[in-house]
Amino acid sequence: MPSEAPEDRDALREKIIGLGETSLHKSYYPELQSRLAELERFRALLDQTYDAIFLLRAETGMLADVNASVSAYLGYSKKELLRKPFIDLISPQQKTRFAEFIRESSDMASESRQTFIAPLVSRDGTEIPMEITVRSVTFGGERYIVAIARDITERIRTERELRIKESALESSTNGILIADPTGAVMYANRSFVAMFGYDGAGAIAGRNLEAFFVDPTVGERVTAHLLDDHAIVQETIGLRDDGSRFHIQVSGSVVQNGAGQPLCIMLIVMDITERILAEQMRRETYAQLGKNIEQFATLGDHIRNPLQVIVGYAAMIDDPFAEKILEESRRIDGFITELDRGWLRSANVRQFLLKHGDGSSSARKIRFRFSNVKEDS
């Protein structure tokens, strides 16, 4: 076998140790460095995210890698975490369900994702509510599960506040209506539905505010007035679904976003029919009381006039019975005097009531009053 030329042996040697022009070291090292730098950048991005990212081995459930947010949330070092099975970080009440969830997730296609809500337990025992999204992946022939956990503490608090507010709206004895800036109904609570005689909230949604007032222009005026940033607390006549009318008091305001733009209109409606009827009855009662007082005063005069005639004639009669007539006449005059005093007291009471508004003889007009709309005289 012929021996290789010395120059061939030197070229082969340089190639092996990485000094030749076609050296494997020279060909792949720059690319390797570039890929390592890319991986470092990707790792830095993962460590900057607020989401906690876990990589666990599908077969054992042990953690293979975590990002920096995991340590920030749970208080464990990365070294400590990589010695733990992921299931140990789950709240004890959810461990059984989550273990079953992980078993199902490990068999799913790599493109699909599933989500589980469960608290993660930190080193100090604090439970942090998390929305955990998992996906099955394969690296180098080994199956892994990527779990991305997002802190939903604020979302849960917000949802709870929304449920409380919604429950308050629904349980209110006043009718509550929410409409968009055009006046189209978006929401009506149970009290409003019942007050206006509809079958359900679905029968109200999408209707315009004008459908709930006897005067259809009131709804349009309410919308325009509120959008001009004026609050309303007024009385008008409502219109039920069956066409019947009733007295209502409406207070309203506009809900705005952070930029001051109107998002919706909210109206609170009270059925004041009983109050209006009671006021009407009270006015009629005091009016009748005034008439009765005037009649009592006239009646006293009518009694005194003939009584004076009787007394005059009795004084001219020289008879023992004349004194008896005068005595009884004085008694009758005393009774009339008491009636006069009672009339005076009643009149004073009536004047007091008139002064304080309870006995007003003129019915109060019920209408909408807008600060930017001229009111009828």
Side-chain angles (χ1 to χ4, degrees), residues 287-342:
Q288 185 62 47
L289 176 62
K291 292 179 181 179
N292 292 344
I293 290 173
E294 292 173 1
Q295 289 176 356
F296 289 151
T298 302
L299 182 61
D301 290 338
H302 287 214
I303 296 174
R304 274 202 172 92
N305 291 335
L307 185 62
Q308 289 175 357
V309 174
I310 294 173
V311 170
Y313 278 114
M316 293 186 295
I317 298 174
D318 186 15
D319 189 281
F321 290 105
E323 185 59 32
K324 186 65 176 177
I325 293 173
L326 291 174
E327 181 182 346
E328 294 300 323
S329 296
R330 284 191 290 271
R331 289 185 59 197
I332 294 173
D333 184 65
F335 293 147
I336 296 173
T337 301
E338 288 299 320
L339 286 175
D340 286 343
R341 290 172 181 165

Side-chain angles (χ1 to χ4, degrees), residues 200-238:
I204 295 178
R207 289 177 178 261
N208 194 277
L209 291 180
E210 64 184 22
F212 309 108
F213 303 103
V214 169
D215 181 356
T217 64
V218 169
E220 181 179 344
R221 294 167 64 195
V222 166
T223 302
H225 189 77
L226 288 174
L227 293 178
D228 284 340
D229 202 22
H230 295 282
I232 288 178
V233 181
Q234 297 297 336
E235 298 173 6
T236 187
I237 308 297

Side-chain angles (χ1 to χ4, degrees), residues 108-128:
M108 68 182 181
S110 59
E111 294 80 10
S112 60
R113 295 176 173 84
Q114 294 189 33
T115 302
F116 188 88
I117 304 295
L120 294 181
V121 182
S122 65
R123 177 191 284 276
D124 63 6
T126 302
E127 294 194 357
I128 306 169

Side-chain angles (χ1 to χ4, degrees), residues 169 172-180 182-193 195-196 204 207-213 218-227 230-234 236 248-255 264-270 368 370:
L169 291 176
S172 173
T173 57
N174 294 329
I176 298 178
L177 191 73
I178 298 177
D180 66 22
T182 68
V185 175
M186 302 164 59
Y187 166 83
N189 71 344
R190 287 192 295 262
S191 294
F192 187 95
V193 172
M195 187 184 300
F196 283 80
I204 295 178
R207 289 177 178 261
N208 194 277
L209 291 180
E210 64 184 22
F212 309 108
F213 303 103
V218 169
E220 181 179 344
R221 294 167 64 195
V222 166
T223 302
H225 189 77
L226 288 174
L227 293 178
H230 295 282
I232 288 178
V233 181
Q234 297 297 336
T236 187
I248 57 175
Q249 176 179 290
V250 179
S251 58
S253 59
V254 174
V255 180
C264 62
I265 294 168
M266 185 172 76
L267 299 181
I268 300 176
V269 182
M270 296 174 58
F368 265 79
F370 300 93

Side-chain angles (χ1 to χ4, degrees), residues 55-56 64 136-146:
L55 180 67
L56 51 148
S136 178
V137 296
T138 301
F139 298 126
E142 185 177 356
R143 297 276 287 179
Y144 292 87
I145 292 176
V146 177

Side-chain angles (χ1 to χ4, degrees), residues 18-288:
L19 299 176
E21 292 297 326
T22 59
S23 166
L24 296 175
H25 180 73
K26 286 185 176 180
S27 300
Y28 291 101
Y29 184 73
E31 183 179 353
L32 179 61
Q33 287 290 88
S34 176
R35 288 178 178 264
L36 287 174
E38 185 178 345
L39 287 173
E40 286 299 321
R41 288 195 297 271
F42 184 66
R43 163 67 73 177
L45 286 174
L46 291 181
D47 285 342
Q48 290 302 314
T49 182
Y50 286 107
D51 293 339
I53 303 175
F54 304 83
L55 180 67
L56 51 148
R57 293 181 172 84
E59 184 177 348
T60 63
M62 297 295 293
L63 288 170
D65 201 358
V66 295
N67 72 338
S69 294
V70 175
S71 296
Y73 274 119
L74 303 182
Y76 292 103
S77 67
K78 183 174 180 178
K79 185 177 180 180
E80 290 174 315
L81 288 166
L82 296 184
R83 293 199 297 263
K84 284 180 171 291
F86 183 66
I87 194 70
D88 284 356
L89 302 175
I90 301 295
S91 171
Q93 291 80 11
Q94 297 285 348
K95 278 188 177 182
T96 302
R97 289 183 59 237
F98 189 77
E100 181 63 28
F101 173 74
I102 288 295
R103 281 194 295 271
E104 295 173 357
S105 300
S106 61
D107 296 331
M108 68 182 181
S110 59
E111 294 80 10
S112 60
R113 295 176 173 84
Q114 294 189 33
T115 302
F116 188 88
I117 304 295
L120 294 181
V121 182
S122 65
R123 177 191 284 276
D124 63 6
T126 302
E127 294 194 357
I128 306 169
M130 292 283 190
E131 180 183 74
I132 305 172
T133 301
V134 301
R135 178 180 177 180
S136 178
V137 296
T138 301
F139 298 126
E142 185 177 356
R143 297 276 287 179
Y144 292 87
I145 292 176
V146 177
I148 302 176
R150 175 164 296 178
D151 186 352
I152 57 173
T153 303
E154 185 65 21
R155 190 178 84 186
I156 290 175
R157 185 188 66 80
T158 301
E159 289 175 350
R160 179 175 178 273
E161 290 180 355
L162 287 175
R163 286 195 299 270
I164 292 173
K165 291 175 182 178
E166 183 178 356
S167 176
L169 291 176
E170 282 298 312
S171 61
S172 173
T173 57
N174 294 329
I176 298 178
L177 191 73
I178 298 177
D180 66 22
T182 68
V185 175
M186 302 164 59
Y187 166 83
N189 71 344
R190 287 192 295 262
S191 294
F192 187 95
V193 172
M195 187 184 300
F196 283 80
Y198 286 87
D199 292 334
I204 295 178
R207 289 177 178 261
N208 194 277
L209 291 180
E210 64 184 22
F212 309 108
F213 303 103
V214 169
D215 181 356
T217 64
V218 169
E220 181 179 344
R221 294 167 64 195
V222 166
T223 302
H225 189 77
L226 288 174
L227 293 178
D228 284 340
D229 202 22
H230 295 282
I232 288 178
V233 181
Q234 297 297 336
E235 298 173 6
T236 187
I237 308 297
L239 183 65
R240 295 190 179 95
D241 188 37
D242 61 6
S244 60
R245 305 178 176 197
F246 66 116
H247 296 279
I248 57 175
Q249 176 179 290
V250 179
S251 58
S253 59
V254 174
V255 180
Q256 300 177 336
N257 60 17
Q261 298 171 327
L263 294 177
C264 62
I265 294 168
M266 185 172 76
L267 299 181
I268 300 176
V269 182
M270 296 174 58
D271 184 348
I272 59 171
T273 303
E274 290 187 5
R275 192 193 81 191
I276 295 297
L277 293 177
E279 290 177 353
Q280 181 179 348
M281 183 179 296
R282 187 160 52 244
R283 288 193 298 269
E284 292 175 354
T285 300
Y286 286 118
Q288 185 62 47

